[in-house]
Amino acid sequence: MRTILSLVMTALCAIGMVHNASADSSVKKVSGNYTYYGDKNDSPAMSKLKALEGARLDALSKEFGTIVTQDVLQADRVDSHGESSKFFSLSSTEVKGEWIADDGDPVYVVSLGNDDCLIVNCRIKGTAKSISNDAIDFEAIALRNGTGKGNSSSEYHQGDDLFLSFTSPVDGYLSVFLMGNNGDVCKMLPYQQDSRQEVKVKKNYDYVFFDPSKAGGEFGDVDAFSIGTDGEIEFNKLYVVFSPNPFSMPVLRPAKSEYSLPYLTEEEFSKWLVKNRRNDPKMGVKQINLKLYPN
């Protein structure tokens, strides 16, 4: 027995998070400013997203400092022309802090350059904290149309299946959420028919979630997900939350339809996440960006 949910995922925007962090001296008020120079392949939504990410990195680097890193990513595609792999390198500055919450909405100033490409300036205020060495470093990978790590991808097309690979060096507890642009943060894990507050996982075990072949396993009836869009390129974000300590789930609102998931608002999710991370320095969160294409 399994539940199949087709997610109509809407474009990603920033979470506007508000909270009282005065109890934690490592939490700081920060502000950042960044200008993104787009190219002709960038949509307005993508340009704003990149400007926002740059502004947050600017705020974090000024407050906490940076470490230079480089990642090489692979995106595999299968279409009527056959299979293809695209590799691209991201040289980035890894900041020594992490963003917790926006303080109000980001402020954008959009203009056109001489080549008619978008120029987007973003100013952002928020709260952030220095990265603690106590947080557990786990592995979480979004997979497309297959359960092997070779299916790792951040790009999905209409009808693609979404899986999640997860491995931790310690025993612990896991939850997964999906954030979209409509203000809803949906719970994906634990599965909908599982009454437990979180998924208990074992150390050094390679888990694959949302895989219908594992229906009836230790985590109950599996929810399987296929990608849907509203006809435009969209952006979503997975939040993978893990801790060696048990934690309670936030209060969820009922699903809006039989094809949707229980959810909470951005502010509600923010308050829940901030409270848990402030009380549990070993809790880690990984954010996975998903880019969704219509057929």
Side-chain angles (χ1 to χ4, degrees):
M1 181 70 180
R2 66 188 177 106
T3 302
I4 300 178
L5 299 175
S6 178
L7 298 185
V8 180
M9 300 180 177
T10 53
L12 171 67
C13 75
I15 293 183
M17 303 178 182
V18 180
H19 70 105
N20 181 359
S22 59
D24 188 346
S25 61
S26 68
V27 176
K28 306 291 185 181
K29 292 288 187 180
V30 296
S31 62
N33 178 33
Y34 182 79
T35 300
Y36 176 72
Y37 295 87
D39 59 37
K40 293 183 178 180
N41 295 320
D42 285 330
S43 67
M46 172 59 86
S47 297
K48 283 188 174 182
L49 177 62
K50 291 182 177 179
L52 174 63
E53 291 176 344
R56 286 177 174 165
L57 284 174
D58 176 63
L60 293 173
S61 64
K62 288 189 297 186
E63 181 66 37
F64 303 110
T66 60
I67 302 172
V68 177
T69 61
Q70 185 177 53
D71 294 319
V72 178
L73 305 180
Q74 176 182 349
D76 298 317
R77 295 186 181 182
V78 179
D79 54 28
S80 59
H81 301 290
E83 299 182 7
S84 64
S85 296
K86 178 181 178 182
F87 293 88
F88 52 99
S89 176
L90 292 177
S91 295
S92 62
T93 302
E94 181 178 341
V95 293
K96 298 179 182 179
E98 57 184 341
W99 196 265
I100 296 178
D102 292 351
D103 183 3
D105 295 329
V107 177
Y108 297 101
V109 177
V110 182
S111 59
L112 287 176
N114 294 332
D115 53 1
D116 291 331
C117 293
L118 288 176
I119 301 174
V120 181
N121 175 263
C122 178
R123 294 180 178 272
I124 186 70
K125 294 181 179 180
T127 52
K129 65 179 295 184
S130 60
I131 292 178
S132 169
N133 290 331
D134 294 334
I136 302 300
D137 185 18
F138 58 88
E139 179 183 78
I141 304 171
L143 308 174
R144 179 175 66 87
N145 291 339
T147 59
K149 292 184 179 180
N151 294 91
S152 171
S153 180
S154 61
E155 299 185 351
Y156 292 76
H157 291 259
Q158 178 88 15
D160 282 347
D161 293 326
L162 172 65
F163 306 97
L164 179 73
S165 170
F166 177 86
T167 310
S168 167
V170 298
D171 294 347
Y173 301 85
L174 173 68
S175 289
V176 179
F177 297 85
L178 174 75
M179 185 180 73
N181 190 47
N182 60 359
D184 294 346
V185 181
C186 300
K187 178 181 75 75
M188 298 179 71
L189 196 69
Y191 295 132
Q192 306 311 305
Q193 301 302 316
D194 191 344
S195 61
R196 290 170 291 187
Q197 290 285 293
E198 67 283 302
V199 169
K200 188 173 182 179
V201 294
K202 300 175 182 179
K203 65 179 181 181
N204 301 325
Y205 186 88
D206 293 331
Y207 291 93
V208 176
F209 294 100
F210 318 131
D211 179 5
S213 69
K214 293 181 172 56
E218 60 181 306
F219 304 122
D221 292 343
V222 173
D223 296 329
F225 297 98
S226 60
I227 299 300
T229 73
D230 62 2
E232 298 179 353
I233 294 177
E234 300 175 358
F235 303 92
N236 281 246
K237 183 173 290 187
L238 288 176
Y239 282 84
V240 183
V241 183
F242 174 79
S243 175
N245 305 309
F247 55 90
S248 61
M249 291 292 292
V251 176
L252 298 169
R253 302 173 186 235
K256 296 178 179 179
S257 74
E258 62 178 316
Y259 298 109
S260 61
L261 297 169
Y263 73 98
L264 64 165
T265 67
E266 297 173 0
E267 183 176 355
E268 290 165 345
F269 179 70
S270 167
K271 289 180 178 179
W272 172 80
L273 187 59
V274 168
K275 178 181 178 181
N276 277 278
R277 300 196 74 184
R278 189 163 60 229
N279 294 334
D280 182 2
K282 293 185 179 295
M283 176 177 280
V285 179
K286 289 199 174 181
Q287 303 173 18
I288 304 175
N289 291 319
L290 305 178
K291 186 174 184 179
L292 316 179
Y293 295 89
N295 285 337

